[in-house]
Amino acid sequence: ARGQFFVFVVDQSGSMIDEGRLYRAKTELRRSVFALQASQRFEVIFYNDVATPMPGGPLPRSADQKSKNQLMNWLRLIGPDGGTDPERAIGQAIALRPDAIFLLSDGEFPDATVDAVVRLNTTKIPIHCVDLSVSASGEDSQLARIAQGSGGQFAARPGND
């Protein structure tokens, strides 16, 4: 994605323990954030039944080494637990008005999630979705529909564990 400010919304629900999904999500997150230039900004919001932004957030933070180190320290505290409700986390991400949102999940959402995201995303911020499940259901999945409806891209990244 192009831009200066990106928000990463990452699933930490209990199902993310399967096939190392949360580990892979954290790996992708680290790779993406460390590729950002210091002049760019980012925010990370994990979710299960609740939304959990980085300490002091949700807010745009510089992609400097200090913020990247804070992210690394915080990631050590994040484990898989609870149910799955991305609506609040996506709402927080949209409210920050980033250039793009990256949603990393196994896509096991409540049925009304796609409609809720459409209602929240009135400004059509692109939401790029990464499906981390082994049985990634492809272009008809909720993640694919969220990406398509927002102008984002969809990618399946099933694990091989």
Side-chain angles (χ1 to χ4, degrees), residues 7 12 14 22 26-27 53 56 61 78 80 86 92 100 102 108-109 122 128 135 145 148 159:
V7 179
Q12 73 169 107
L22 185 58
K26 287 180 179 182
T27 299
R61 56 192 82 232
I78 302 295
Q92 286 180 2
F102 293 88
E108 296 180 14
F109 298 145
T122 58
H128 304 290
S135 59
R145 293 187 355 245
Q148 181 181 31

Side-chain angles (χ1 to χ4, degrees), residues 71-107:
L71 172 65
M72 293 297 294
N73 291 330
W74 182 57
L75 286 179
R76 293 184 186 109
L77 306 175
I78 302 295
D81 185 42
T84 306
D85 188 358
E87 189 174 337
R88 181 171 288 134
I90 293 171
Q92 286 180 2
I94 291 168
L96 292 170
R97 303 174 75 144
D99 296 309
I101 296 169
F102 293 88
L103 175 58
L104 291 82
S105 177
D106 58 12

Side-chain angles (χ1 to χ4, degrees), residues 34-104:
F34 274 81
L36 295 175
Q37 302 298 313
S39 62
Q40 294 176 299
R41 296 172 299 142
F42 74 98
E43 174 59 299
V44 178
I45 305 169
F46 277 90
Y47 72 89
N48 50 24
D49 299 309
V50 297
T52 307
M54 284 182 68
L59 54 86
R61 56 192 82 232
S62 173
D64 59 16
Q65 195 58 49
K66 178 182 175 187
S67 294
K68 291 175 181 179
N69 289 341
Q70 289 172 337
L71 172 65
M72 293 297 294
N73 291 330
W74 182 57
L75 286 179
R76 293 184 186 109
L77 306 175
I78 302 295
D81 185 42
T84 306
D85 188 358
E87 189 174 337
R88 181 171 288 134
I90 293 171
Q92 286 180 2
I94 291 168
L96 292 170
R97 303 174 75 144
D99 296 309
I101 296 169
F102 293 88
L103 175 58
L104 291 82

